[in-house]
Amino acid sequence: SLLGFNLKLEDCKTNFLKGDFNLSAEYNTSKYQPYYIKMKAGFNKVYLSELFYSENDTVSESNNGKLSGSFYTEFQFPVDSTFLKFIKVKNANIVYEFSEDTIITKNLSLDLNNIYFNDKINPNLLATFYANGRFKTDKIHSSSFDFTDVDFDIDVVNGTYEIKSDVVRLFGKNTKGNAFLIAK
């Protein structure tokens, strides 16, 4: 139409990465909201290692697990497919099972803005990654750790990751202070 293009998919079910994947999604493109996608997804026993599989790769056991859960996401491509204006993941409840442990997240949200990487400089997108945003979750639990009320800001510039938090509950409920981590 004159207002743009709209495509809706409802209750799509497929087998994806050796697991079940169900989604309902909407794609819109218009002058005011180009390349905008929103999606509600559920998945059961998806093997993420299949996404990056290469015949000669050895995959550590912790990376060879099954992912199950659900989430809601919105994202927008402004023009180029190597650039995302934003991505938002909301209400994610995820279980990652592997032989050594199970990691459970409750009510996870991730908001990233101005996402970019340059695969012409380095094919490893993490090495040239740019983004800023926030990560929050009510709970991350495994047999090794139990974190509640996780909340931190993320700033990534050319593959250098800065993670900051004024909420530090990793060492107990009454812990006070802040956290700052830089990774390259």
Side-chain angles (χ1 to χ4, degrees):
S1 73
L2 292 173
L3 300 175
F5 176 77
N6 178 269
L7 173 68
K8 288 185 181 181
L9 304 169
E10 294 195 24
D11 297 322
C12 295
K13 299 177 190 300
T14 186
N15 186 279
F16 180 66
L17 302 174
K18 296 184 178 180
D20 297 320
F21 195 80
N22 307 318
L23 68 96
S24 293
E26 185 173 350
Y27 171 74
N28 290 300
T29 186
S30 69
K31 180 179 178 182
Y32 302 103
Q33 201 172 40
Y35 315 112
Y36 174 73
I37 299 169
K38 56 185 175 180
M39 174 176 63
K40 183 177 182 181
F43 43 96
N44 189 36
K45 300 193 185 301
V46 172
Y47 285 85
L48 287 181
S49 60
E50 291 292 312
L51 189 60
F52 304 104
Y53 177 76
S54 177
E55 189 174 316
N56 298 324
D57 277 353
T58 57
V59 179
S60 72
E61 178 55 32
S62 62
N63 293 330
N64 201 22
K66 298 173 283 200
L67 191 65
S68 299
S70 62
F71 66 91
Y72 172 80
T73 187
E74 299 176 73
F75 54 96
Q76 184 176 16
F77 296 95
V79 181
D80 187 343
S81 64
T82 63
F83 183 80
L84 277 167
K85 187 172 183 178
F86 66 84
I87 185 167
K88 296 178 183 194
V89 176
K90 300 175 185 176
N91 304 322
N93 295 303
I94 300 172
V95 176
Y96 186 67
E97 302 171 86
F98 55 104
S99 67
E100 299 165 6
D101 203 351
T102 298
I103 301 170
I104 301 168
T105 65
K106 296 286 184 192
N107 199 28
L108 180 143
S109 68
L110 175 67
D111 292 329
L112 292 177
N113 300 298
N114 303 316
I115 304 157
Y116 175 76
F117 63 92
N118 191 336
D119 61 350
K120 292 176 179 86
I121 293 174
N122 190 328
N124 177 357
L125 71 95
L126 297 176
T128 61
F129 195 65
Y130 286 83
N132 61 58
R134 188 171 196 172
F135 177 92
K136 291 178 75 172
T137 186
D138 291 346
K139 183 177 198 88
I140 302 175
H141 173 78
S142 83
S143 63
S144 302
F145 53 84
D146 192 15
F147 302 137
T148 58
D149 298 324
V150 177
D151 184 355
F152 56 84
D153 295 320
I154 303 166
D155 192 23
V156 185
V157 177
N158 200 24
T160 298
Y161 298 74
E162 290 185 6
I163 299 170
K164 300 177 217 169
S165 179
D166 292 330
V167 180
V168 181
R169 293 188 181 95
L170 298 179
F171 301 106
K173 289 182 183 178
N174 298 320
T175 306
K176 294 182 180 179
N178 56 37
F180 184 74
L181 173 70
I182 297 177
K184 286 186 176 188

